[in-house]
Amino acid sequence: MRVLVVEDERNLADAIARGLRKRGMAVDVAYDGDAGHEAAFVTRYDVVILDRDLPGVHGDRICADLAASGALTRVLMLTASGTVADRVEGLQLGADDYLAKPFAFDELVARVQALGRRATPAAPPVLAAGDLELDPARRVVTRAGVPLDLTNKEFGVLAELLKARGAVVSSEELLERVWDANTDPFTTIVRVTVMTLRKKLGDPPLIDTVVGAGYRVGEPS
């Protein structure tokens, strides 16, 4: 899942980003409304965690512009005020959810995960190919019933390939969906991650390389 945090309180923004990355999400951070507005329309995010009172472009405008664009990106609006009137106003602007500060981090994570499931076309609760199963909610992968120990990036790559349901996913798409903006676009990290993932998945092989196009998961032969 790709997440953008737009928050001018740097310590809070960085703490949210660290916590979400530990949960396996790819997270970018913008510390003002100008940077946040630009980032939200340059990269396809699943969820934008958006502070309402931002310097530069106001959070209300970012939210309204995202809603007007028709993007699948979901918006979780943060605010220091938790009154009913503020929540209603934020939702009317196009926010998908609303969370008042201070908040419990576990609640933030749960809300982001719920919004992330709504940001893409509906997928089965458990993704599968042959004897391979991936449960996104529990972050568990098994093959022939045996649990596999995957890194966060390996898990993310496998989830994206399974969600494609046999279609080819390019390296560029995997880089955009699983890694954050600080990753070198010319890196070989996608190829290396797919290589280690193949080894962990074992035989018969499940991930095919489509030369010049990308990768796909097919039924084992």
Side-chain angles (χ1 to χ4, degrees), residues 1-205:
M1 185 189 303
R2 189 81 181 265
V3 178
L4 173 65
V5 179
V6 189
E7 169 61 66
D8 62 318
E9 296 181 41
R10 286 179 174 260
N11 290 339
L12 176 59
D14 292 342
I16 292 172
R18 284 194 302 271
L20 294 180
R21 286 170 184 146
K22 289 180 180 178
R23 304 296 180 101
M25 303 179 199
V27 185
D28 297 327
V29 180
Y31 299 112
D32 59 57
D34 295 329
H37 191 276
E38 180 180 3
F41 288 91
V42 169
T43 301
R44 183 170 66 89
Y45 291 100
D46 296 297
V47 179
V48 173
I49 300 174
L50 179 64
D51 183 36
R52 189 168 186 183
D53 297 314
L54 291 167
V57 180
H58 196 276
D60 287 357
R61 180 184 161 192
I62 297 174
C63 181
D65 287 352
L66 277 171
S69 74
L72 290 175
T73 301
R74 302 303 178 183
V75 176
L76 172 59
M77 188 171 278
L78 302 179
T79 181
S81 174
T83 66
V84 172
D86 280 329
R87 291 199 298 271
V88 170
E89 187 176 3
L91 294 171
Q92 287 176 337
L93 286 166
D96 298 279
D97 202 354
Y98 202 98
L99 192 58
K101 301 175 185 177
F103 49 81
F105 185 73
D106 285 345
E107 181 180 4
L108 174 72
V109 172
R111 289 173 182 262
V112 169
Q113 290 174 332
L115 291 175
R117 290 192 290 271
R118 294 165 48 194
T120 54
V126 175
L127 303 169
D131 59 356
L132 176 71
E133 291 189 349
L134 182 149
D135 185 332
R138 295 191 300 131
R139 296 194 66 79
V140 172
V141 179
T142 61
R143 184 158 194 195
V146 178
L148 302 179
D149 183 18
L150 304 184
T151 66
N152 285 334
K153 298 308 182 188
E154 290 165 353
F155 185 97
V157 167
L158 183 59
E160 292 300 320
L161 292 176
L162 288 172
K163 283 190 286 187
R165 303 181 186 185
V168 176
V169 183
S170 69
S171 294
E172 292 77 15
E173 289 173 306
L174 290 172
L175 194 65
E176 178 178 305
R177 305 303 302 153
V178 182
W179 281 267
D180 61 35
N182 294 320
T183 306
D184 181 355
F186 300 104
T187 183
T188 61
I189 195 168
V190 173
R191 180 174 59 82
V192 172
T193 301
V194 170
M195 180 178 66
T196 59
L197 180 57
R198 279 194 178 111
K199 291 179 181 179
K200 291 184 179 182
L201 294 179
D203 293 319

